[in-house]
């Protein structure tokens, strides 16, 4: 089905290590942590001997911690921040899910699985599969109210949650401004390469530090950054621009990206040079050094976008 609006109305040393100096926010860990289900693998607790004992089964809702009676008043203090985020993400559930995963990471927790995100937004898993799946600002606010724990106060909710919301909104707004400055050149690049996924991938990878360029493959980039099937060979212009914008950080500017973009436009206009560059990129790539669990999740994500 098409898009549907849900609801009634609408980093320090370690952080620096993950970022390219003035470049696209695309480290292996960043990409993988945005994938639903990533993070430390959850293991079931050891089974106890319950022989002769009565086991009481609870409904899932009964197993949830009690909500804070002040949840509505706590979240009400931050509604303007939530509305600002909703406006910049257009209510897209994939971007809301990414935000919730970043909040989890900020608090040392594993990313939220899709089922939890669906429950918070009061969606079914089928509705979650809509492209795009869009919810109202009312649904977003209600989801944040459900996040408030019994012992939360306005102050600690702000430090645990709202700091990340504001950072994400700032990053998104910054990315939108910078992408508009590059839109004409993006169109030139796309026309020069006829939307070739391989050529667009080559440009994107060229924005990374040299030592990291061999860690990514075209299929991996297709799935995790372009949100396309692994074997995609051609990407529409607006889809590329949208996904590029979603991958940008506040350190990315049109000024730093333009020289790389211009170089690849010229390269794509010279078929021989473009072919040689593609071959060099292919030879430089090594199998990504990721865990078996990461590979499993990438494979699952590939199945979702197929």
């Amino acid at each position: 089905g098409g898009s549907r609006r849900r609801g009634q109305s609408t980093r320090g040393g370690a952080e620096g290590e993950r970022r390219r100096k003035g470049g696209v926010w695309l480290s292996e860990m960043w990409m993988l942590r945005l994938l639903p289900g990533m993070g430390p693998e959850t293991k079931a607790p050891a089974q106890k001997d319950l022989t002769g004992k009565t086991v009481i089964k609870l409904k899932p809702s009964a197993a949830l911690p009690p909500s804070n009676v002040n949840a509505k008043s706590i979240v009400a203090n931050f509604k303007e921040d939530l509305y600002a985020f909703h406006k910049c993400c257009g209510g897209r559930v994939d971007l809301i899910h990414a935000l919730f995963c970043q909040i989890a990471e900020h608090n040392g927790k594993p990313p939220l699985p899709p089922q939890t995100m669906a429950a918070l937004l009061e969606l079914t898993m089928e509705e979650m599969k809509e492209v795009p799946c869009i919810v109202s600002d009312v649904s977003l606010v209600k989801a944040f109210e459900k996040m408030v724990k019994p012992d939360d106060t306005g102050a600690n909710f702000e430090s645990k949650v709202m700091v990340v919301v504001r950072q994400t909104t700032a990053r998104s707004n910054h990315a939108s401004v910078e992408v508009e400055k590059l839109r004409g050149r993006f169109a030139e690049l796309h026309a020069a390469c006829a939307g070739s996924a391989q050529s667009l991938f080559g440009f994107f990878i060229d924005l990374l530090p040299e030592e990291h360029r061999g860690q990514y493959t075209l299929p991996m980039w297709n799935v995790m950054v372009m949100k396309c099937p692994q074997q995609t060979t051609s990407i529409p212009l607006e889809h590329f621009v949208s996904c590029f914008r979603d991958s940008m950080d506040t350190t990315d500017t049109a000024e730093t990206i333009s020289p790389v973009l211009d170089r690849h436009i010229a390269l794509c206009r010279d078929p021989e040079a473009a072919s040689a560059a593609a071959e060099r990129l292919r030879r430089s790539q090594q199998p990504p050094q990721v865990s078996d669990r990461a590979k499993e999740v990438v494979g699952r994500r590939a199945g979702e976008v197929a």
Side-chain angles (χ1 to χ4, degrees):
S3 65
R4 245 189 291 175
R5 183 170 296 281
R6 311 288 173 192
Q8 297 303 310
S9 72
T10 97
R11 264 180 291 231
E15 181 69 14
E17 188 65 26
R18 289 200 303 265
R19 293 184 176 180
R20 179 180 65 79
K21 189 176 181 181
V24 172
W25 194 33
L26 178 67
S27 71
E28 177 184 341
M29 289 309 298
W30 179 80
M31 289 195 298
L32 293 181
R33 77 166 62 95
L34 292 191
L35 293 175
M38 279 308 298
E41 186 167 7
T42 303
K43 295 183 178 179
Q47 293 295 314
K48 296 181 180 179
D49 181 9
L50 298 177
T51 305
K53 298 180 181 178
T54 302
V55 179
I56 300 175
K57 294 184 179 180
L58 299 176
K59 294 181 179 179
S61 59
L64 295 174
S67 61
N68 188 324
V69 293
N70 298 315
K72 286 185 178 295
S73 61
I74 288 175
V75 173
N77 293 323
F78 306 108
K79 275 189 178 180
E80 291 308 311
D81 291 313
L82 296 178
Y83 292 155
F85 169 74
H86 185 273
K87 181 179 179 180
C88 77
C89 78
R92 281 172 47 190
V93 170
D94 60 327
L95 297 182
I96 294 171
H97 190 186
L99 169 66
F100 274 67
C101 288
Q102 290 170 53
I103 292 170
E105 182 200 3
H106 177 70
N107 290 280
K109 307 290 185 182
L112 270 69
Q115 294 84 349
T116 303
M117 192 71 257
L120 287 171
L121 292 171
E122 299 178 358
L123 298 173
T124 66
M125 289 306 294
E126 282 304 308
E127 289 170 334
M128 287 278 284
K129 292 176 183 176
E130 292 178 4
V131 181
C133 181
I134 296 175
V135 296
S136 70
D137 50 7
V138 170
S139 293
L140 179 68
V141 169
K142 287 174 67 177
F144 275 87
E145 289 173 353
K146 293 171 188 172
M147 290 180 66
V148 181
K149 295 183 178 179
D151 57 350
D152 274 343
T153 63
N156 69 7
F157 189 75
E158 180 170 20
S159 63
K160 292 193 306 182
V161 176
M162 296 311 302
V163 165
V164 182
V165 175
R166 292 178 188 133
Q167 288 173 346
T168 303
T169 301
R171 183 198 63 75
S172 179
N173 288 334
H174 168 82
S176 294
V177 170
E178 297 304 308
V179 158
E180 285 308 309
K181 298 176 185 176
L182 296 166
R183 187 172 288 278
R185 284 196 182 97
F186 279 144
E188 287 185 55
L189 174 64
H190 192 272
C193 72
S196 162
Q198 180 69 59
S199 296
L200 296 174
F201 170 64
F203 155 65
F204 200 90
I205 291 300
D206 210 9
L207 293 168
L208 295 176
E210 190 170 351
E211 64 270 21
H212 297 316
R213 292 175 192 169
Q215 297 178 11
Y216 308 103
T217 64
L218 176 58
M220 177 187 262
W221 180 77
N222 275 340
V223 171
M224 294 192 289
V225 182
M226 289 293 110
K227 301 167 188 173
C228 294
Q230 290 187 67
Q231 303 309 316
T232 297
T233 58
S234 180
I235 299 173
L237 173 60
E238 284 306 312
H239 185 86
F240 171 74
V241 173
S242 175
C243 291
F244 188 94
R245 181 180 58 239
D246 291 347
S247 73
M248 290 177 69
D249 192 13
T250 51
T251 57
D252 298 318
T253 65
E255 184 180 5
T256 58
I257 294 170
S258 289
V260 181
L261 188 49
D262 290 341
R263 185 166 67 248
H264 278 264
I265 291 171
L267 186 65
C268 289
R269 287 173 176 165
D270 182 341
E272 265 188 49
S275 178
E279 180 60 20
R280 284 195 301 274
L281 177 61
R282 187 189 66 78
R283 289 182 178 179
S284 73
Q285 290 174 331
Q286 301 297 323
Q289 299 301 305
V290 295
S291 68
D292 288 341
R293 176 160 168 73
K295 292 175 185 175
E296 173 193 341
V297 173
V298 171
R300 187 164 66 246
R301 173 64 176 156
E304 291 172 359
V305 299

